[in-house]
Amino acid sequence: MERRLRQTREVRGALSQLKREILISASPQECWVALMEDDRLVELMLDRPDHGRTVGDIYLGRVEAVLPGIQAAFVDIGTEKAGFLHVSDLVHPEEDEDGDEDDEPNGDGSNGNGGRRSRQYPPIQTRLRQGDTILVQLTKEPIGTKGPRLTAQVSLPGRFLVYMPFSSHVGVSRKIEQREERARLRKLAREIRPEDSGGLIIRTVGEELSREKFQAEFDRLHSTWQKITKRAASSGAPALVHSEATLVSGVLRDLFSDKLDGLKVDSQEVHREIVQYVKSVDPELLDRVKLYQDSVPLFDRYDIEEEIGEAFERKVMLPSGGYIIVEPTEALVSIDVNTGRFTGKGRKDPEETILQTNLDAAREIARQLRLRDIGGIIVVDFIDMKSQENRDRVLHEMRSHLGRDRARTKAFSVSDLGLVEMTRQRVRPSLFQSLTRVCEHCQGAGRVFTPPTVVRRVERSLKRAVASGNEQLILIRVHPEVALHVMEEEPDFLHRLRRRMPIKLDLRDDPLLREDEFRLLSGPAETDVTERYVTGQPG
């Protein structure tokens, strides 16, 4: 516990020295929010009509199926895919009245209670049946083939508080460290909330919160919950009964505080909305809100577009000259660290060169995880270090920078192979998944067959075509790059095939084909060929 507190103090000390800004570029078509630290992009969020943010939305759902084998249920909430509800995410009697909590209430539905999944619960089939209606909150957006993740433990986040209507728990953010202040806030919470009215988490921004602000926010959140229950009672499942705040509103609520140096926005309409909000919650911060009106676009001024492009590259350069390779896969994300052109000039001990590269990589990896919004299991292959002291230094450096991340992270010790296994909270598809799609040419493999390989595949397909029919003429269509390979590297290709096959053959290039796609078109010898036989599409 003491070590965790010490690490928290170090992170907070480092954050207090950082220059932190929020940049908002908004238009009717989309809204981008960039979080800058020391003029470097560390977080990027997007909101557009086809890319809505649904985490935190509350639905009245209908149970489609209950699966005792995995102690979970699938709930129809009106979206394309049914939501997944685990037994641990149902409302259960609570064991503890008070405790320490994370700031973010809707990360994975846990409200900071990480050991919940290991507890024993009554079987889900005794709690839910097919056709039941249930009020649920979305805690994780659909990712890949998986549907949304749901919880019945609803929570409503405010600027200073998180209200949990199905709980009696009073929690205080771990980042509020002073015992006297923690005790004062808990006492204040018990005095203000009516009996049996729900639980509360006091967020970090709520430190030194006055009774009046506490009361006002609690009343607002409690009133919102009453409206939700009335709406649910009058709705038929499935139905959306409450939408979470928009991207800009959520960022203001969760991020904009006296720890930020400023906020710049390039839209007059959004600027007016922000000013109204700040006036109502913290007027002292008004002077930090600026309307950007320069002729140079806001994101161009801060080179954001360039950094967005770099966020999609596999290779990321390090200040020392080394680099990291980021490889997303279905199961996990692997990150490899390399010294590159950094040879440690002037250093006598190669261990120092390796240590410097790994330290640079630890800092950059923490940034890239935030920037790309990578979640799930992550394996980092650091360059192998002989010294345990150096391994500990690299791990400490990585953990301290991960401490700046709003998403929950956990990094385990460096293994003997130089690997660090870690997890990062994932609530929505990564930036890479959200803004890209599978390549039509390579089908997501990232590679295509070489021209010689395509030519050999053509040969095998021709043998099958001749053996299976009475074709007298076959026209081979290939990509121009493959046709050029045949002309320059295998000029006798057609002659060789004509000797072996009792048919007429011709080869033509077709720029509409993919690089490793080909087609065989067949027909009678004296007529135009028609597209009767098609093959060679990679898959």
Side-chain angles (χ1 to χ4, degrees), residues 122-138:
I124 193 169
Q125 59 269 31
T126 65
R127 303 284 304 276
L128 291 178
R129 293 183 179 180
Q130 185 177 2
D132 287 353
T133 58
I134 182 173
L135 200 65
V136 291
Q137 187 169 33
L138 196 145

Side-chain angles (χ1 to χ4, degrees), residues 40 316-319 324 359-369 371 401:
R40 292 199 76 193
V316 181
M317 298 304 299
L318 302 175
I324 61 175
L359 289 173
D360 285 347
R363 292 186 282 268
E364 186 60 33
I365 288 168
R367 173 177 171 263
Q368 289 295 325
L369 294 181
L371 177 58
H401 281 75

Side-chain angles (χ1 to χ4, degrees), residues 249-428:
S249 300
V251 166
L252 290 174
R253 181 192 66 202
D254 298 337
L255 289 177
F256 192 54
S257 67
D258 57 4
K259 295 180 176 63
L260 277 163
D261 294 277
L263 182 151
K264 294 179 182 177
V265 56
D266 62 5
S267 164
Q268 289 187 346
E269 182 179 351
V270 176
H271 177 261
R272 283 195 299 270
E273 294 174 5
I274 293 172
V275 168
Q276 290 175 0
Y277 175 83
V278 175
K279 277 183 179 178
S280 65
V281 298
D282 205 339
E284 295 178 358
L285 297 177
L286 265 179
D287 61 339
R288 305 191 189 195
V289 179
K290 306 293 184 184
L291 176 63
Y292 183 84
Q293 295 179 300
D294 199 298
S295 58
V296 178
L298 176 61
F299 273 25
D300 289 352
R301 173 71 67 188
Y302 285 82
D303 296 325
I304 300 295
E305 293 290 349
E306 182 178 343
E307 296 206 50
I308 292 174
E310 291 175 358
F312 293 97
E313 299 289 338
R314 291 175 62 249
K315 187 175 183 178
V316 181
M317 298 304 299
L318 302 175
S320 60
Y323 62 90
I324 61 175
I325 298 290
V326 183
E327 289 280 10
T329 69
E330 185 71 20
L332 52 81
V333 175
S334 68
I335 302 178
D336 186 41
V337 182
N338 299 277
T339 54
R341 65 173 182 268
F342 180 52
T343 58
K345 187 176 181 180
R347 300 173 187 262
K348 297 181 179 179
D349 187 357
E351 183 82 358
E352 292 182 18
T353 303
I354 293 171
L355 174 62
Q356 184 59 52
T357 303
N358 282 339
L359 289 173
D360 285 347
R363 292 186 282 268
E364 186 60 33
I365 288 168
R367 173 177 171 263
Q368 289 295 325
L369 294 181
R370 296 171 67 190
L371 177 58
R372 301 175 187 228
D373 199 13
I374 293 173
I377 300 172
I378 300 150
V379 177
V380 183
D381 184 9
F382 284 105
I383 304 169
D384 190 28
M385 295 168 286
K386 298 178 182 178
S387 166
Q388 184 61 46
E389 180 183 356
N390 288 346
R391 293 180 183 178
D392 292 341
R393 280 188 63 185
V394 170
L395 184 63
H396 176 75
E397 187 74 10
M398 186 172 181
R399 283 175 173 169
S400 65
H401 281 75
L402 288 173
R404 303 175 183 179
D405 199 339
R406 292 188 298 144
R408 281 190 290 276
T409 60
K410 186 172 184 180
F412 297 91
S413 300
V414 182
S415 72
D416 292 340
L417 296 175
L419 301 177
V420 171
E421 298 175 8
M422 64 168 291
T423 60
R424 184 176 184 271
Q425 174 190 12
R426 176 166 55 186
V427 298
R428 59 181 57 88

